[in-house]
PDB file of all heavy atoms in Angstrom:
ATOM      1  N   GLU K  45     112.923  72.353  22.135  1.00 97.00           N
ATOM      2  CA  GLU K  45     113.990  73.345  22.475  1.00 97.00           C
ATOM      3  C   GLU K  45     114.549  72.967  23.849  1.00 97.00           C
ATOM      4  O   GLU K  45     115.740  73.193  23.975  1.00 97.00           O
ATOM      5  CB  GLU K  45     113.367  74.756  22.391  1.00 97.00           C
ATOM      6  CG  GLU K  45     113.241  75.188  21.003  1.00 97.00           C
ATOM      7  CD  GLU K  45     113.331  76.746  20.803  1.00 97.00           C
ATOM      8  OE1 GLU K  45     113.628  77.331  21.813  1.00 97.00           O
ATOM      9  OE2 GLU K  45     112.907  77.260  19.788  1.00 97.00           O
ATOM     10  N   VAL K  46     113.695  72.691  24.780  1.00 95.00           N
ATOM     11  CA  VAL K  46     114.233  72.554  26.143  1.00 95.00           C
ATOM     12  C   VAL K  46     114.828  71.138  26.393  1.00 95.00           C
ATOM     13  O   VAL K  46     115.928  71.011  26.959  1.00 95.00           O
ATOM     14  CB  VAL K  46     113.067  72.650  27.065  1.00 95.00           C
ATOM     15  CG1 VAL K  46     113.480  72.464  28.517  1.00 95.00           C
ATOM     16  CG2 VAL K  46     112.604  74.106  27.038  1.00 95.00           C
ATOM     17  N   THR K  47     114.245  69.955  25.805  1.00 95.00           N
ATOM     18  CA  THR K  47     114.826  68.759  26.142  1.00 95.00           C
ATOM     19  C   THR K  47     115.307  68.069  24.899  1.00 95.00           C
ATOM     20  O   THR K  47     115.966  67.014  25.039  1.00 95.00           O
ATOM     21  CB  THR K  47     113.612  67.831  26.662  1.00 95.00           C
ATOM     22  OG1 THR K  47     112.537  67.586  25.601  1.00 95.00           O
ATOM     23  CG2 THR K  47     112.925  68.448  27.872  1.00 95.00           C
ATOM     24  N   GLY K  48     115.091  68.559  23.780  1.00 95.00           N
ATOM     25  CA  GLY K  48     115.586  67.930  22.506  1.00 95.00           C
ATOM     26  C   GLY K  48     114.738  66.868  22.057  1.00 95.00           C
ATOM     27  O   GLY K  48     115.048  66.209  20.978  1.00 95.00           O
ATOM     28  N   TYR K  49     113.695  66.530  22.783  1.00 94.00           N
ATOM     29  CA  TYR K  49     112.748  65.422  22.299  1.00 94.00           C
ATOM     30  C   TYR K  49     111.345  65.861  22.845  1.00 94.00           C
ATOM     31  O   TYR K  49     111.168  66.479  23.793  1.00 94.00           O
ATOM     32  CB  TYR K  49     113.165  64.113  23.009  1.00 94.00           C
ATOM     33  CG  TYR K  49     112.308  63.042  22.517  1.00 94.00           C
ATOM     34  CD1 TYR K  49     112.392  62.422  21.380  1.00 94.00           C
ATOM     35  CD2 TYR K  49     111.430  62.381  23.490  1.00 94.00           C
ATOM     36  CE1 TYR K  49     111.679  61.346  20.932  1.00 94.00           C
ATOM     37  CE2 TYR K  49     110.665  61.272  23.208  1.00 94.00           C
ATOM     38  CZ  TYR K  49     110.844  60.692  21.808  1.00 94.00           C
ATOM     39  OH  TYR K  49     110.064  59.698  21.461  1.00 94.00           O
ATOM     40  N   ALA K  50     110.372  65.477  21.968  1.00 95.00           N
ATOM     41  CA  ALA K  50     108.978  65.791  22.331  1.00 95.00           C
ATOM     42  C   ALA K  50     108.024  64.605  22.324  1.00 95.00           C
ATOM     43  O   ALA K  50     107.319  64.405  21.403  1.00 95.00           O
ATOM     44  CB  ALA K  50     108.485  66.872  21.261  1.00 95.00           C
ATOM     45  N   HIS K  51     108.095  63.831  23.460  1.00 95.00           N
ATOM     46  CA  HIS K  51     107.276  62.647  23.608  1.00 95.00           C
ATOM     47  C   HIS K  51     105.671  63.150  23.743  1.00 95.00           C
ATOM     48  O   HIS K  51     105.475  64.122  24.347  1.00 95.00           O
ATOM     49  CB  HIS K  51     107.675  61.916  24.819  1.00 95.00           C
ATOM     50  CG  HIS K  51     106.941  60.503  24.913  1.00 95.00           C
ATOM     51  ND1 HIS K  51     105.775  60.440  25.522  1.00 95.00           N
ATOM     52  CD2 HIS K  51     107.433  59.334  24.461  1.00 95.00           C
ATOM     53  CE1 HIS K  51     105.448  59.112  25.400  1.00 95.00           C
ATOM     54  NE2 HIS K  51     106.399  58.478  24.856  1.00 95.00           N
ATOM     55  N   PRO K  52     104.900  62.538  23.184  1.00 96.00           N
ATOM     56  CA  PRO K  52     103.443  62.869  23.249  1.00 96.00           C
ATOM     57  C   PRO K  52     103.005  63.180  24.600  1.00 96.00           C
ATOM     58  O   PRO K  52     102.185  64.140  24.705  1.00 96.00           O
ATOM     59  CB  PRO K  52     102.676  61.658  22.520  1.00 96.00           C
ATOM     60  CG  PRO K  52     103.786  61.218  21.536  1.00 96.00           C
ATOM     61  CD  PRO K  52     105.009  61.219  22.324  1.00 96.00           C
ATOM     62  N   SER K  53     103.388  62.277  25.539  1.00 96.00           N
ATOM     63  CA  SER K  53     102.838  62.580  26.937  1.00 96.00           C
ATOM     64  C   SER K  53     103.335  63.940  27.405  1.00 96.00           C
ATOM     65  O   SER K  53     102.618  64.686  28.267  1.00 96.00           O
ATOM     66  CB  SER K  53     103.221  61.477  27.861  1.00 96.00           C
ATOM     67  OG  SER K  53     104.593  61.394  28.091  1.00 96.00           O
ATOM     68  N   LEU K  54     104.562  64.295  27.171  1.00 97.00           N
ATOM     69  CA  LEU K  54     105.183  65.531  27.538  1.00 97.00           C
ATOM     70  C   LEU K  54     104.469  66.723  26.941  1.00 97.00           C
ATOM     71  O   LEU K  54     104.098  67.709  27.464  1.00 97.00           O
ATOM     72  CB  LEU K  54     106.688  65.604  27.281  1.00 97.00           C
ATOM     73  CG  LEU K  54     107.354  67.109  27.589  1.00 97.00           C
ATOM     74  CD1 LEU K  54     107.228  67.303  29.078  1.00 97.00           C
ATOM     75  CD2 LEU K  54     108.749  66.820  27.204  1.00 97.00           C
ATOM     76  N   VAL K  55     104.231  66.603  25.480  1.00 98.00           N
ATOM     77  CA  VAL K  55     103.497  67.569  24.747  1.00 98.00           C
ATOM     78  C   VAL K  55     102.076  67.855  25.347  1.00 98.00           C
ATOM     79  O   VAL K  55     101.562  68.896  25.496  1.00 98.00           O
ATOM     80  CB  VAL K  55     103.542  67.184  23.231  1.00 98.00           C
ATOM     81  CG1 VAL K  55     102.575  68.037  22.516  1.00 98.00           C
ATOM     82  CG2 VAL K  55     104.902  67.245  22.765  1.00 98.00           C
ATOM     83  N   GLU K  56     101.428  66.753  25.690  1.00 98.00           N
ATOM     84  CA  GLU K  56     100.113  66.818  26.198  1.00 98.00           C
ATOM     85  C   GLU K  56     100.072  67.557  27.565  1.00 98.00           C
ATOM     86  O   GLU K  56      99.214  68.433  27.738  1.00 98.00           O
ATOM     87  CB  GLU K  56      99.532  65.358  26.472  1.00 98.00           C
ATOM     88  CG  GLU K  56      98.119  65.490  26.962  1.00 98.00           C
ATOM     89  CD  GLU K  56      97.412  63.977  27.167  1.00 98.00           C
ATOM     90  OE1 GLU K  56      97.993  63.077  26.636  1.00 98.00           O
ATOM     91  OE2 GLU K  56      96.466  64.031  27.751  1.00 98.00           O
ATOM     92  N   ARG K  57     101.063  67.255  28.498  1.00 97.00           N
ATOM     93  CA  ARG K  57     101.139  68.053  29.719  1.00 97.00           C
ATOM     94  C   ARG K  57     101.302  69.511  29.592  1.00 97.00           C
ATOM     95  O   ARG K  57     100.757  70.321  30.225  1.00 97.00           O
ATOM     96  CB  ARG K  57     102.156  67.441  30.626  1.00 97.00           C
ATOM     97  CG  ARG K  57     101.759  66.006  31.208  1.00 97.00           C
ATOM     98  CD  ARG K  57     102.605  65.556  32.220  1.00 97.00           C
ATOM     99  NE  ARG K  57     104.072  65.757  32.104  1.00 97.00           N
ATOM    100  CZ  ARG K  57     104.981  64.907  31.766  1.00 97.00           C
ATOM    101  NH1 ARG K  57     104.628  63.740  31.409  1.00 97.00           N
ATOM    102  NH2 ARG K  57     106.232  65.196  31.597  1.00 97.00           N
ATOM    103  N   ILE K  58     102.319  69.835  28.634  1.00 98.00           N
ATOM    104  CA  ILE K  58     102.652  71.296  28.381  1.00 98.00           C
ATOM    105  C   ILE K  58     101.403  71.995  27.703  1.00 98.00           C
ATOM    106  O   ILE K  58     100.994  72.965  28.231  1.00 98.00           O
ATOM    107  CB  ILE K  58     103.840  71.325  27.501  1.00 98.00           C
ATOM    108  CG1 ILE K  58     105.148  70.822  28.269  1.00 98.00           C
ATOM    109  CG2 ILE K  58     104.066  72.817  27.120  1.00 98.00           C
ATOM    110  CD1 ILE K  58     106.301  70.621  27.345  1.00 98.00           C
ATOM    111  N   ALA K  59     100.790  71.370  26.785  1.00 98.00           N
ATOM    112  CA  ALA K  59      99.592  71.925  26.110  1.00 98.00           C
ATOM    113  C   ALA K  59      98.476  72.134  27.096  1.00 98.00           C
ATOM    114  O   ALA K  59      97.819  73.176  26.977  1.00 98.00           O
ATOM    115  CB  ALA K  59      99.296  71.072  24.955  1.00 98.00           C
ATOM    116  N   ARG K  60      98.260  71.139  27.909  1.00 98.00           N
ATOM    117  CA  ARG K  60      97.152  71.237  28.855  1.00 98.00           C
ATOM    118  C   ARG K  60      97.385  72.495  29.781  1.00 98.00           C
ATOM    119  O   ARG K  60      96.487  73.310  30.138  1.00 98.00           O
ATOM    120  CB  ARG K  60      97.119  69.985  29.757  1.00 98.00           C
ATOM    121  CG  ARG K  60      95.929  70.044  30.756  1.00 98.00           C
ATOM    122  CD  ARG K  60      95.763  68.731  31.477  1.00 98.00           C
ATOM    123  NE  ARG K  60      94.961  67.804  30.532  1.00 98.00           N
ATOM    124  CZ  ARG K  60      95.593  66.684  30.076  1.00 98.00           C
ATOM    125  NH1 ARG K  60      96.874  66.325  30.364  1.00 98.00           N
ATOM    126  NH2 ARG K  60      94.924  65.892  29.396  1.00 98.00           N
ATOM    127  N   LYS K  61      98.671  72.704  30.136  1.00 98.00           N
ATOM    128  CA  LYS K  61      99.058  73.825  31.088  1.00 98.00           C
ATOM    129  C   LYS K  61      98.705  75.134  30.362  1.00 98.00           C
ATOM    130  O   LYS K  61      98.082  76.064  30.872  1.00 98.00           O
ATOM    131  CB  LYS K  61     100.474  73.834  31.560  1.00 98.00           C
ATOM    132  CG  LYS K  61     100.741  72.524  32.423  1.00 98.00           C
ATOM    133  CD  LYS K  61     101.264  73.040  33.791  1.00 98.00           C
ATOM    134  CE  LYS K  61     101.676  71.833  34.528  1.00 98.00           C
ATOM    135  NZ  LYS K  61     100.960  71.809  35.726  1.00 98.00           N
TER     136      LYS K  61
END
Side-chain angles (χ1 to χ4, degrees):
E45 283 204 14
V46 173
T47 67
Y49 185 68
H51 190 274
S53 64
L54 177 60
V55 170
E56 182 177 347
R57 289 194 318 260
I58 295 168
R60 181 175 284 112
K61 296 235 184 241

